[in-house]
Amino acid sequence: MNAAVDRALGGPLVVGVDGSEPSLRAVDWAADEAVLRGVPLRVVYARLWERYEGAALARDLGKPTALPLAQDVAGAAAQRARARHPDLKVTADVVFEEPEYALVREGRNASALVVGTRGRSGIAELLLGSVSLAVAAHADCPVIVLRGSHDNQATPPVRGRVVVGVGEDVKESAAVRFAVEEARRRGVPLEAVRAWRCPAHETTDHPLMAGEPARLHEERAGEELEAALQDVPADIDVRRRTVEGHARRVLLDASHEADLLVVGARRREGRFGLQLGRVAHVALHHSACPVAVVPHRVHDA
């Protein structure tokens, strides 16, 4: 099992908040997910600017200092979660640090991180905020970014399925394992999707060879899909699909019929910058449902 995911299985579910409407919807979704997992919910509010500007701004406005203001945001989010699930254990904390750094650090001991699509900037809701993107690209645990019209609830199922994208490297099965557990918790089928394409240079005009290269690529995709699913427990209802086309487009289409889209992301030791991959990056920006990015550590030879 992926070591980072394995270490965090019993940890709390962490949700990042900033007082915006998307982050409050994230609290609702995270509270549902924490109940499904049987783990506590930890609400984290991180804002670097309030350490330096909050007190001065508060004085100008004749209001309390930054700490009470920040605690109000975190406390209100925690109370929202408790009202939704009275038996859920909820804690809240304020961290005066850049949100992306604070949440990535929180993820080291979390079963998963939940964030909204954007923060309090004026960016259109269709776009992904920089904090959410940075957290999804660097966290050691799965990161769930809430997108779509049903991003305020994890239960009951809206579409009735969890979709996982299966790539070429079947050894990187952390995303499949995560998707299996999410489908089990929700009591819905798991749809495993493997996209494939036939390179243009392999096509032929010979009538006896027409369709042969495409058939071989489709068969290979089916074999890779079966290999990735070989350890899925028998009690999981798995629906297999191989689809011709770019993986990013195939998965975006599938997201319209999913409650959760699960994609993998390689984390290469010693590499800097966003470590997402093109498919995960596109899914985070354009999926029609919440997206779970599941990291997998790889070591360069």
Side-chain angles (χ1 to χ4, degrees):
M1 176 173 285
N2 187 326
V5 175
D6 188 31
R7 287 195 305 269
L9 283 177
L13 188 73
V14 175
V15 58
V17 300
D18 62 6
S20 67
E21 182 57 32
S23 81
L24 292 179
R25 295 202 302 269
V27 170
D28 294 342
W29 200 98
D32 289 352
E33 180 74 9
V35 170
L36 283 175
R37 290 167 173 260
V39 298
L41 178 65
R42 177 168 165 78
V43 176
V44 176
Y45 175 77
R47 297 289 287 187
L48 179 63
W49 71 268
E50 287 190 346
R51 167 182 286 180
Y52 305 105
E53 300 177 23
L57 178 61
R59 285 195 300 271
D60 291 342
L61 298 176
K63 295 183 177 181
T65 60
L67 185 57
L69 291 173
Q71 288 178 335
D72 287 345
V73 171
Q79 184 56 41
R80 183 181 178 112
R82 295 188 188 101
R84 191 176 181 91
H85 293 288
D87 295 330
L88 176 63
K89 181 180 179 181
V90 183
T91 59
D93 196 12
V94 175
V95 182
F96 290 115
E97 188 179 5
E98 291 285 5
E100 51 268 46
Y101 298 132
L103 291 175
V104 167
R105 188 180 63 252
E106 291 283 341
R108 294 172 186 167
N109 299 309
S111 58
L113 283 165
V114 178
V115 292
T117 52
R118 65 182 179 91
R120 303 169 77 169
S121 67
I123 300 176
E125 181 129 0
L126 291 177
L127 300 179
L128 186 68
S130 59
V131 171
S132 300
L133 184 63
V135 172
H138 295 290
D140 291 327
C141 70
V143 175
I144 302 167
V145 178
L146 301 194
R147 298 195 53 84
S149 60
H150 53 287
D151 62 357
N152 66 330
Q153 63 181 57
T155 55
V158 177
R159 305 298 184 192
R161 73 186 66 180
V162 171
V163 172
V164 60
V166 175
E168 295 181 359
D169 192 344
V170 298
K171 294 182 295 184
E172 298 183 12
S173 56
V176 172
R177 290 193 298 271
F178 181 90
V180 164
E181 292 306 314
E182 289 298 308
R184 187 197 301 278
R185 293 182 184 109
R186 289 165 170 73
V188 300
L190 172 64
E191 182 174 297
V193 181
R194 174 74 174 95
W196 63 274
R197 297 183 66 219
C198 180
H201 69 271
E202 295 185 18
T203 60
T204 177
D205 294 329
H206 194 288
L208 296 179
M209 293 294 291
E212 184 69 12
R215 183 182 65 80
L216 294 176
H217 282 283
E218 184 175 14
E219 289 179 354
R220 183 184 304 165
E223 293 169 357
E224 292 167 345
L225 185 58
E226 288 300 324
L229 299 173
Q230 63 182 349
D231 295 327
V232 174
D235 65 316
I236 300 296
D237 180 4
V238 182
R239 302 173 182 179
R240 299 159 171 82
R241 280 209 302 138
T242 57
V243 185
E244 183 178 9
H246 289 284
R248 52 190 182 275
R249 174 50 56 191
V250 168
L251 292 180
L252 288 185
D253 289 344
S255 74
H256 288 275
E257 301 299 328
D259 292 312
L260 181 68
L261 173 62
V262 182
V263 295
R266 297 182 181 183
R267 298 284 195 267
R268 297 188 181 278
E269 299 291 344
R271 296 287 183 90
F272 299 97
L274 299 181
Q275 298 192 55
L276 280 175
R278 187 175 301 174
V279 173
H281 194 276
V282 171
L284 286 171
H285 280 86
H286 301 291
S287 173
C289 71
V291 179
V293 176
V294 182
H296 178 85
R297 289 285 176 187
V298 295
H299 302 276
D300 293 328

